[in-house]
Amino acid sequence: MLHEHLRTGRLVPVLSDHTEHSGVFLLLWPSSPYLSPKHRVFIEFMTANLFPSK
């Protein structure tokens, strides 16, 4: 969500020296052939907005 703002300089990192962790963000849900519409919308939102393609 912030990649574009960081790239253009609208936002700048602060406290970078104090960042301890970075990595992969995973979404897990129960295996079922019938995924609830609420879960599907949430997963689609997170996929599209949290880490958009660069």
Side-chain angles (χ1 to χ4, degrees), residues 29-47:
W29 59 90
S31 176
S32 170
Y34 307 105
L35 186 60
S36 96
K38 290 181 211 176
H39 287 122
R40 174 55 49 208
V41 168
F42 178 72
I43 292 165
E44 289 173 1
F45 172 81
M46 295 297 282
T47 301

Side-chain angles (χ1 to χ4, degrees), residues 3-51:
H3 178 73
E4 181 66 20
H5 296 294
L6 289 169
R7 188 184 66 74
T8 62
R10 184 171 179 191
L11 292 175
V12 294
V14 296
L15 302 175
S16 296
D17 295 336
H18 301 283
T19 302
E20 294 181 25
H21 304 284
S22 65
V24 177
F25 185 85
L26 301 173
L27 293 172
L28 303 174
W29 59 90
S31 176
S32 170
Y34 307 105
L35 186 60
S36 96
K38 290 181 211 176
H39 287 122
R40 174 55 49 208
V41 168
F42 178 72
I43 292 165
E44 289 173 1
F45 172 81
M46 295 297 282
T47 301
N49 293 291
L50 190 58
F51 301 109

